[in-house]
Amino acid sequence: MKKTVITLVSLFMVLVNSVCAQEKQSFREWAQTPPMGWNSWDCYGPTVTEKETRANADFMAENLKQHGWEYVVVDIRWFIANDKAGGYNESNPVYVIDNYGRYQPAENRFPSSSNGKGFKALADYVHGKGLKFGIHIMRGIPKVAVMRHLPIKGTNGITADQIYSEEGRCKWLKDNYTVDASKPGAQEYYNSIFEMYAEWGVDFIKIDDLSAPDYHQSEIDMIRKAIDRTGRPIVLSTSPGETPVAAAKHVDSHANMWRMVNDVWDVWKDFTHLVKVAHDWYPYIGEGTWPDCDMIPLGHIAIRGERGEDRMTRLTKDEQYSLMTFFSIFRSPLMYGGDLPSIDPFTLSLLTNKGVLKMHRDGTNVKELFNNEQKLAVTSKDKNSGATYLAIFNLSDKAQKIQVPLSTMGIKATKRATLLWSNKQVGKIKGKVSVTLNPHACTLYKLD
């Protein structure tokens, strides 16, 4: 009888652990395809306003929603009333914070947040367009909450100064301290902010300073628990920098998307660095979790940006095709960084190409065929039609002929080739694909 009871208890514990594991992984269902949206960073840095956010949401709803674009994300320092373009105001920032040490939107920039409403009204506006709303935050707890000894909601008298640490503090922005996971009240602080975000109606959150130069596993663990506790499907994006490959299994089991590199701007060297770093991340593409190439720095950017003057992207058209082709075949999340209301027709065409977006949505088994810093080839399979996609890139500064044997993609038969960007059929191909590309140019085929 005693042995039977022990066996039943053991079976019960196995069942409980299995259910808990399934619940922990349920976040994968929230981003079954790579998230697509707009983020304010490339055009407005830390200064975006509610009016500008609504204008971009309006454009997305009218022109991009039908193509799968759905997230509208307010990036960094929305809680500063007097931030600036071209960097950050760290000399005399005016923080907006509640009595529990939680940042609130600055009312002069987000008028609908007045009287403690937070982002609820703006999120409702975005939801009313059939879209989803997201925000950016920094890892940790506000230094002003620590200085003021503000209480942590959900605790019995624990204050912010009892859960912080200066160890591992962000090196490039000093708004916050590290939350020490070993301290009572640490988890409750993260619970309190995500409880508030869920009440606001947040669907997506980008959290900065989580991955590099140090991988903050303990805070990622607390964040995952806090999100799951809300019961709201909030897609988690970790940022920025080169997430260490040694942490791949952990980040893949905790976040929907994670940055592979530092900020990608409209310079060619950022792209070549990206494709080099991406080499190690192909095995982690899919199943609701996505290595992230960063935002798309195309169109009208840096209106009040963190880097450079108000401009159209400095990438050539060939380079823009290369960037969009790699982001799409790699199945990166697509977060457009340009200003949508002032977008030009060419850039809009890059965001709305049906064939390329189908590849991005339905691609599977993404593989790098070769990458020798002069040329790159990436392939994937359409999960529905079985068609093979092939992207070939000339990474060098000179025109070159590049050949890809069909056998490297497991193809033995003759295939019909279509240029995906133009939807132009180019005949049948047998044995190998051979193409001459201009410097920094690419080509993208569908083979079926």
Side-chain angles (χ1 to χ4, degrees):
M1 181 65 181
K2 184 177 180 181
K3 183 177 181 180
T4 302
V5 171
I6 293 174
T7 302
L8 289 173
V9 170
S10 299
L11 288 172
F12 175 74
M13 292 305 298
V14 168
L15 179 61
V16 168
N17 290 335
S18 175
V19 169
C20 290
Q22 290 175 10
E23 288 180 350
K24 184 178 180 180
Q25 297 299 311
S26 65
F27 74 92
R28 294 175 179 272
E29 300 174 6
W30 307 342
Q32 293 185 2
T33 57
M36 298 168 59
W38 172 82
N39 180 294
S40 63
W41 170 250
D42 284 354
C43 16
Y44 298 110
T47 70
V48 70
T49 66
E50 179 168 356
K51 181 179 179 180
E52 290 160 340
T53 304
R54 289 184 182 231
N56 278 273
D58 292 345
F59 186 95
M60 182 181 290
E62 184 173 348
N63 300 280
L64 295 176
K65 177 185 170 184
Q66 64 267 37
H67 297 282
W69 299 83
E70 60 177 344
Y71 289 97
V72 176
V73 182
V74 174
D75 210 89
I76 197 165
R77 282 189 133 198
W78 38 265
F79 45 82
I80 302 288
N82 62 339
D83 222 323
K84 64 176 185 176
Y88 304 104
N89 176 10
E90 293 197 80
S91 60
N92 62 339
V94 177
Y95 295 101
V96 183
I97 196 166
D98 74 1
N99 293 331
Y100 290 110
R102 303 176 299 182
Y103 289 128
Q104 303 295 305
E107 291 182 22
N108 62 321
R109 293 168 54 195
F110 300 93
S112 70
S113 69
S114 62
N115 300 316
K117 292 192 290 290
F119 274 128
K120 180 69 167 63
L122 181 54
D124 287 347
Y125 181 85
V126 172
H127 294 155
K129 297 283 180 178
L131 303 172
K132 295 180 180 179
F133 180 69
I135 60 173
H136 168 290
I137 66 169
M138 295 296 297
R139 168 184 66 87
I141 188 164
K143 66 180 182 182
V144 292
V146 172
M147 292 167 56
R148 298 175 189 174
H149 300 244
L150 294 178
I152 305 300
K153 186 178 181 183
T155 67
N156 186 20
I158 297 174
T159 53
D161 55 296
Q162 295 176 287
I163 69 168
Y164 89 103
S165 171
E166 294 198 36
E167 185 176 349
R169 187 183 183 190
C170 180
K171 293 179 171 57
W172 51 269
L173 188 59
K174 302 299 185 180
D175 293 333
N176 290 3
Y177 291 117
T178 295
V179 174
D180 185 342
S182 69
K183 299 290 183 65
Q187 182 65 57
E188 286 78 6
Y189 177 74
Y190 272 114
N191 289 350
S192 75
I193 62 173
F194 279 96
E195 179 183 276
M196 180 178 67
Y197 301 152
E199 291 172 354
W200 288 350
V202 170
D203 307 295
F204 179 102
I205 190 152
K206 171 185 173 183
I207 305 185
D208 225 323
D209 194 48
L210 275 175
S211 303
D214 302 310
Y215 184 77
H216 296 276
Q217 180 168 325
S218 62
E219 288 198 70
I220 293 173
D221 288 340
M222 289 190 287
I223 289 163
R224 178 76 269 152
K225 290 176 183 177
I227 293 175
D228 292 342
R229 180 178 175 273
T230 69
R232 183 175 181 83
I234 302 175
V235 168
L236 172 60
S237 167
T238 68
S239 181
E242 298 190 8
T243 301
V245 177
K249 289 185 178 179
H250 183 266
V251 75
D252 183 59
S253 64
H254 286 72
N256 296 102
M257 49 190 277
W258 57 91
R259 283 272 291 281
M260 297 183 291
V261 292
N262 288 322
D263 289 2
V264 172
W265 281 100
D266 50 334
V267 289
W268 181 246
K269 67 179 179 63
D270 285 2
F271 177 74
T272 55
H273 178 67
L274 166 66
V275 300
K276 180 179 179 180
V277 172
H279 172 81
D280 293 322
W281 289 106
Y282 286 86
Y284 297 92
I285 298 170
E287 304 300 329
T289 57
W290 311 98
D292 180 13
C293 290
D294 193 23
M295 282 173 288
I296 300 169
L298 304 185
H300 188 189
I301 59 176
I303 294 172
R304 294 191 308 278
E306 181 260 355
R307 196 168 307 181
E309 300 298 324
D310 186 346
R311 65 184 181 276
M312 298 300 291
T313 185
R314 294 172 294 197
L315 296 174
T316 68
K317 285 192 174 181
D318 278 343
E319 291 169 344
Q320 292 179 61
Y321 273 121
S322 290
L323 184 144
M324 284 301 300
T325 297
F326 183 77
F327 276 47
S328 299
I329 197 167
F330 187 82
R331 304 195 74 200
S332 170
L334 300 180
M335 290 290 165
Y336 180 65
D339 181 58
L340 287 173
S342 57
I343 197 170
D344 60 290
F346 174 70
T347 305
L348 185 60
S349 75
L350 295 178
L351 304 184
T352 56
N353 186 286
K354 292 182 179 179
V356 175
L357 290 176
K358 184 180 189 305
M359 174 187 69
H360 177 255
R361 181 180 65 249
D362 294 338
T364 187
N365 198 28
V366 184
K367 293 182 179 179
E368 181 184 84
L369 298 179
F370 55 78
N371 182 0
N372 64 8
E373 298 187 0
Q374 296 295 308
K375 55 189 178 181
L376 165 70
V378 181
T379 186
S380 68
K381 295 276 189 182
D382 189 291
K383 68 179 181 181
N384 297 313
S385 69
T388 298
Y389 299 109
L390 172 64
I392 307 171
F393 303 84
N394 179 3
L395 303 179
S396 76
D397 296 331
K398 297 180 180 179
Q400 64 172 321
K401 183 177 182 179
I402 304 176
Q403 296 181 339
V404 180
L406 295 184
S407 60
T408 61
M409 296 172 281
I411 298 174
K412 298 180 180 179
T414 300
K415 291 292 183 180
R416 179 179 60 183
T418 302
L419 291 171
L420 208 55
W421 280 108
S422 63
N423 196 32
K424 179 182 177 182
Q425 292 189 11
V426 292
K428 294 184 177 180
I429 294 179
K430 183 178 181 180
K432 63 185 177 183
V433 175
S434 182
V435 63
T436 299
L437 294 173
N438 289 328
H440 305 180
C442 76
T443 190
L444 177 60
Y445 292 101
K446 180 176 76 171
L447 306 174
D448 57 7

